Amino acid sequence: MRHETSTVVDRGSYQDTVTPWEQQEWRETALGWAEEQLAARGLRPAGRWGVRLRPWSVLVRIAVRDGADVWFKANPPGSAFEGALTAALAGWVPEHVLEPLAVDAGRGWALLPHGGDLFRDVLERGDADVRAWEEALRQYARMQRALIPYAAEMDRLGVPDARAAALPGIFDTALAQNTALDPADRTRLHALRPRLLDWCAELAATGVPDSLDHCDLHDGQLFRPAPGRFTFFDWGDAHVSHPFCSFTVPARRVRERHGPEALPGLRDAYLEPWTEDGRTLPELRRALTLATRLGALAPTRAWTRLFPGASLPAGEAACAEWLRGLGSTPLPDARR
């Protein structure tokens, strides 16, 4: 039982962050809910509970007797939709995501199973190379295509809107609120706005339907439970958006790890499933170039999804970095 276990708390570099964990009543209620959900499935906690506190989540790793660890996650109000979205995804695209053990959508809580090897760990062991990244993005694109009919339902679940028409407003808000930009940055970004409007209009005109954008799809946000198979998780930063905006983050990670020469193959692996609608690769490459330029905008809003009372100076700096990179892309312009 909970009172019989010891708890190890990891605050990382956020020693002074504010989370609900500091409130004893919340802590007892949340962990009690997790225990009740485990008991309903015939599971019993065993050993230490590992708690990871960040300004954007409370994550508790629960060792389970005679089984793999499970995870309790609590989101702040700005990403409270994650539990309900995770449950919905398990019904819509079960082959691509984790199926939660339990969700309390009203309180932003979820209880999640172990997902297998983290892709980052697989890469660090040398058990995968850039071809595994290509397969992961190919599977991710298939998932996005399957989710197109559910975009309106995702809106109803509270997933934020970052469609092409919404991006100029996100840009204006981020530029007005960010305190880490210097005057030269602001001048350049204000001057960029007319071009940004043109890019948004051109992207919307490509005809590729909106879908789910994970918005932070790096190697720590997917599992590789078996060779050739990938499972996507951690939807707290997600938006409903042009699906190609998802490419921005993995393209940056692959460029850092494998060099720019890996990007054309990654791009075409991601675009391959989209050719099934009759669109050509050159058309899709141009759309991807536009989306990758604009994919810097949604992360600036995701960084603001914190627990009430939490502050994150590093988040301001990260948002400023995203804004400074707005309009750039790791890929050559497809019109060249």
Side-chain angles (χ1 to χ4, degrees):
M1 287 301 181
R2 187 170 66 256
H3 64 275
E4 297 170 343
T5 67
S6 58
T7 302
V8 178
V9 178
D10 164 26
R11 296 179 181 272
S13 58
Y14 307 96
Q15 296 299 311
D16 299 324
T17 195
V18 176
T19 73
W21 183 261
E22 283 71 46
Q23 304 167 23
Q24 182 175 352
E25 182 178 357
W26 183 94
R27 198 164 60 241
E28 288 293 316
T29 301
L31 298 185
W33 177 83
E35 277 197 322
E36 290 170 5
Q37 300 305 319
L38 291 173
R41 290 154 184 79
L43 302 173
R44 293 186 60 197
R48 292 186 173 185
W49 295 46
V51 181
R52 185 177 183 272
L53 303 181
R54 298 295 185 266
W56 54 85
S57 69
V58 171
L59 192 63
V60 183
R61 182 172 185 163
I62 305 171
V64 176
R65 201 179 304 277
D66 300 323
D69 295 349
V70 299
W71 303 82
F72 166 81
K73 185 174 184 179
N75 291 83
S79 58
F81 63 84
E82 184 183 2
L85 175 62
T86 300
L89 292 173
W92 298 335
V93 285
E95 67 275 24
H96 295 294
V97 298
L98 291 177
E99 180 179 0
L101 300 173
V103 166
D104 186 323
R107 292 188 284 196
W109 295 349
L111 194 64
L112 300 163
H114 180 62
D117 285 343
L118 197 65
F119 187 41
R120 176 179 294 161
D121 296 337
V122 175
L123 291 170
E124 290 297 330
R125 292 198 305 262
D127 293 341
D129 57 18
V130 71
R131 289 170 294 182
W133 265 114
E134 292 172 2
E135 181 56 27
L137 286 201
R138 192 177 289 113
Q139 292 181 26
Y140 178 75
R142 292 191 187 111
M143 180 187 70
Q144 286 184 300
R145 283 171 48 79
L147 289 173
I148 287 170
Y150 302 103
E153 182 60 28
M154 287 186 269
D155 290 332
R156 287 190 285 272
L157 291 175
V159 181
D161 180 9
R163 294 170 173 87
L167 292 178
I170 295 173
F171 169 80
D172 292 340
T173 299
L175 188 55
Q177 294 181 349
N178 191 273
T179 60
L181 292 167
D182 62 33
D185 291 328
R186 293 185 181 279
T187 298
R188 184 183 68 80
L189 288 167
H190 279 298
L192 183 66
R193 194 177 192 281
R195 294 176 65 197
L196 183 145
L197 295 177
D198 290 342
W199 293 336
C200 291
E202 186 179 351
L203 184 63
T206 62
V208 177
D210 295 311
S211 184
L212 185 63
D213 173 11
H214 184 285
C215 201
D216 194 24
L217 189 62
H218 57 72
D219 49 7
Q221 305 282 40
L222 62 156
F223 294 114
R224 195 200 71 164
R229 180 168 172 252
F230 297 91
T231 303
F232 306 96
F233 72 100
D234 199 350
W235 300 98
D237 290 346
H239 289 79
V240 179
S241 178
H242 191 289
F244 293 4
C245 289
S246 287
F247 190 75
T248 302
V249 172
R252 291 186 177 195
R253 291 301 179 97
V254 168
R255 182 170 186 160
E256 291 169 2
R257 179 181 283 269
H258 300 286
E261 62 275 10
L263 292 177
L266 187 75
R267 172 196 62 195
D268 289 351
Y270 173 70
L271 292 176
E272 179 188 319
W274 299 96
T275 63
E276 296 172 15
D277 294 326
R279 295 181 174 88
T280 66
L281 268 179
E283 292 172 332
L284 292 169
R285 287 169 181 160
R286 174 57 185 168
L288 188 69
T289 298
L290 291 165
T292 305
R293 287 176 182 167
L294 295 166
L297 285 172
T300 66
R301 185 163 64 176
W303 271 104
T304 67
R305 299 176 194 170
L306 308 177
F307 287 113
S311 62
L312 188 57
E316 285 286 293
C319 290
E321 193 61 30
W322 279 111
L323 288 168
R324 291 187 191 101
L326 184 64
S328 65
T329 170
L331 295 165
D333 192 313
R335 286 179 170 172
R336 293 179 185 173

